[in-house]
Amino acid sequence: MGVGDVAGLIAAIAFAILVGFLIYPLIRLGKLFDQIALTVKESGDHAIPALDEGVTTVKQVNKSLADVNRISDSASTTMGNISALTDLYGSFLGKPVIKAASTLYAVRSTAQSFFSKKSGHQSAPVKPVSAKPSATTAKAAASQGKGA
């Protein structure tokens, strides 16, 4: 055996030891890739039912919104009908009722005026009293005082 053969043998042994050290991390890396693949598969298996539930929820929300739209349309129609009925009442019944009420008020006022004149309780118009008496008021007061 020559020097070249010994050097080749040492290099082969060193390469074998290096491969031995590298095999362990490669095996661990392979197990890691297997675990990642399993995790991705499980995530996919759990994601599909979650997406299905999400689709079902969105469908139910859309159905509820359609019901709300129907309710709001019905409320709008009802409000329109109430507005038309109010307008009809105002034009058809409101004016005659106002006229009848004003007629009854006029009859009542006239009757009260008539009966108050009959019973002798006619009230004279009241003149406002001023704080400072005028000259005619002072003369009238003086003539009443002299006559008494």
Side-chain angles (χ1 to χ4, degrees):
M1 228 189 213
V3 178
D5 290 335
V6 173
L9 188 60
I10 291 174
I13 291 172
F15 184 73
I17 291 172
L18 180 64
V19 169
F21 282 124
L22 289 178
I23 286 177
Y24 181 70
L26 288 175
I27 291 172
R28 298 271 312 206
L29 188 61
K31 287 182 182 179
L32 179 67
F33 284 145
D34 290 341
Q35 188 66 32
I36 289 173
L38 183 63
T39 303
V40 168
K41 183 181 179 293
E42 287 177 359
S43 296
D45 291 343
H46 293 298
I48 291 173
L51 289 174
D52 290 341
E53 289 176 17
V55 168
T56 303
T57 303
V58 169
K59 285 180 181 178
Q60 289 175 347
V61 167
N62 285 339
K63 188 184 294 185
S64 297
L65 287 176
D67 292 341
V68 168
N69 284 339
R70 267 190 263 124
I71 289 170
S72 64
D73 289 343
S74 297
S76 175
T77 303
T78 302
M79 289 305 296
N81 291 341
I82 289 172
S83 175
L85 186 61
T86 304
D87 291 342
L88 177 68
Y89 171 76
S91 65
F92 185 69
L93 295 176
K95 290 177 184 175
V97 167
I98 291 171
K99 286 180 181 179
S102 63
T103 303
L104 287 176
Y105 177 75
V107 168
R108 190 181 82 192
S109 297
T110 305
Q112 283 179 347
S113 171
F114 179 74
F115 288 125
S116 68
K117 284 181 184 178
K118 256 189 164 181
S119 62
H121 294 291
Q122 187 176 9
S123 60
V126 178
K127 293 183 182 178
V129 179
S130 63
K132 190 176 182 184
S134 64
T136 56
T137 311
K139 287 180 186 177
S143 66
Q144 285 179 358
K146 290 181 184 176

